[in-house]
Structure formats: structure tokens, C-alpha cells
Amino acid sequence: MSKLLYIKANPKPDNVSRTFRISEEFIKGYKEKNPQDEVITLDLYKENIHHLTLEDINDIFSQKGDDAQSHPILKYAYEFASADKYVIAAPLWNLSIPAILKSYIDYISVTGITFKYTENGPVGLCHGKKAMHIVARGGSYGVEPLSSYEMGDRYLRTIFGFLGITDFTTVAAENLDVIGADVEGIVQKAIKEAKEVAQNF
């Protein structure tokens, strides 16, 4: 049995967010294909994830032993490390990811839990896992000339690779804000692609 961590980073409800319309169909297809797996939904807005403060940082580095696993911030790093698969549902906002997702990544990127430093530099501790990013974009950021501006999926791939996760798939619905675009058709095409990926994820 595998554990899938479904990370949601959008304040909009499922039926309004175009990203969530796609990701929810992925999760539905995944559950049908893998009924024995555990799927944990982590809605970052409902979790009230915030930017780390100086007090948070000092507190994190003072934690030791078993108490650290129940710490209000470190618990997210331990939860992340214990998962086998990840689905990140996050739209492209201002060429990158929503700020709340970056804050979450600050929560989970903890030395000794998801990566470590060695004499040869940093080494990820999350090997043998896989991730998927489901994203809605207003324009065509998957190809030039706009792909040079896209820093959301690029950042997620980079930080996940840093943590040891190199099996990374992206399903993107693009051109959703282009005047005259068939928005529903684009979303449905992405849903179909996501469902196909779910069969072997």
C-alpha cells in the first residue's frame, strides 16, 4: 500500500478553481485504480500555512526527539517524508507558484528529515518517490517565448529534485485567459490527460 499526499494551493473552491477541477478528477481516477492506497488531502489554505517567523525558526531548531514529530510546523516535514507519492495542485500565479505553497516548502525542507548535508554537499532523503504537478495557466507558458518566464513548475521540479524526487510529471492546462479560447475544452483535455496519468501513477 502506498501513501499519496495531495497538496492543494488555491483559495478557490474545487468547482471554481480550474486547477482543482483537473486535480480532483486525477484523484478520483487514482483512487479507483488504487483503492488500497491511502490518500491524504492537505489544503494549505485550510491548514493556515504562514510565512516562517524568527520565532518559528528558533523553535524548529530547538526541537529534539519524538516531540518534533508533533510540532505544529515540523509535523508537515515528517508527513511529507513518510509519503510515497505527491500531487501538487497549484496554478501559475505571477509566473510562479502561490506564496502559500512556497511557505509550505519552507516547512518541509528540513535538514535531517527531507534532506541532509554531507561532506560532498546536500543530499535528498526522499528517493524512490514520484510527484505530479497539476497547473492551470493563463497563457502558453509551456513553449517559447513565454516558457522562459515560467518559474512555477521549474521551481517545483528543482526543489523536489533537491529533496531526491526526480520522477516528476506535469499536466498543464494552458491559454485559459486568452481572449476567445475554448476554456472548457482546454480544461477537459487536461482532465483526460490527468486521468490517463492516474492509471499508472
Side-chain angles (χ1 to χ4, degrees):
M1 183 179 78
S2 295
K3 180 188 295 185
L4 184 150
L5 186 59
Y6 175 30
I7 304 160
K8 303 174 70 173
N10 195 326
K12 296 179 182 178
D14 292 349
N15 64 334
V16 175
S17 165
R18 297 172 299 197
T19 299
F20 289 166
R21 285 185 60 197
I22 302 164
S23 63
E24 287 294 314
E25 288 297 324
F26 173 90
I27 293 298
K28 180 180 177 181
Y30 181 86
K31 287 180 176 179
E32 291 173 353
K33 181 71 173 182
N34 305 279
Q36 74 286 352
D37 286 3
E38 179 183 6
V39 176
I40 299 171
T41 300
L42 189 66
D43 186 318
L44 301 186
Y45 282 90
K46 291 180 180 178
E47 293 290 319
N48 198 28
I49 300 295
H50 62 265
H51 299 313
L52 290 177
T53 65
L54 176 60
E55 291 74 16
D56 291 330
I57 293 171
N58 289 337
D59 192 31
I60 287 170
F61 284 100
S62 69
Q63 296 297 313
K64 295 180 181 179
D66 294 338
D67 290 343
Q69 297 194 30
S70 60
H71 184 273
I73 292 175
L74 287 178
K75 68 178 183 180
Y76 292 102
Y78 283 105
E79 178 182 57
F80 187 91
S82 71
D84 305 294
K85 304 174 183 180
Y86 311 90
V87 174
I88 309 98
L92 180 73
W93 278 8
N94 303 314
L95 308 182
S96 187
I97 56 176
I100 198 168
L101 179 54
K102 176 56 172 69
S103 292
Y104 171 75
I105 290 170
D106 289 341
Y107 280 32
I108 65 170
S109 301
V110 182
T111 307
I113 302 178
T114 53
F115 77 99
K116 66 179 179 180
Y117 279 104
T118 71
E119 62 276 9
N120 297 315
V123 175
L125 298 176
C126 300
H127 297 285
K129 303 169 187 281
K130 60 172 62 177
M132 179 175 180
H133 178 206
I134 296 175
V135 55
R137 300 169 177 157
S140 183
Y141 290 89
V143 295
E144 291 292 3
L146 293 181
S147 61
S148 296
Y149 292 96
E150 198 288 319
M151 293 177 282
D153 188 67
R154 195 186 320 174
Y155 172 70
L156 289 175
R157 284 177 177 271
T158 301
I159 191 66
F160 272 66
F162 178 82
L163 299 178
I165 305 162
T166 56
D167 186 343
F168 195 105
T169 304
T170 302
V171 170
E174 298 207 298
N175 291 316
L176 293 173
D177 295 333
V178 172
I179 295 174
D182 178 9
V183 174
E184 186 59 28
I186 294 169
V187 170
Q188 289 301 321
K189 182 180 178 181
I191 286 174
K192 181 181 178 181
E193 181 182 354
K195 284 183 172 181
E196 290 172 354
V197 174
Q199 295 304 301
N200 296 296
F201 188 73

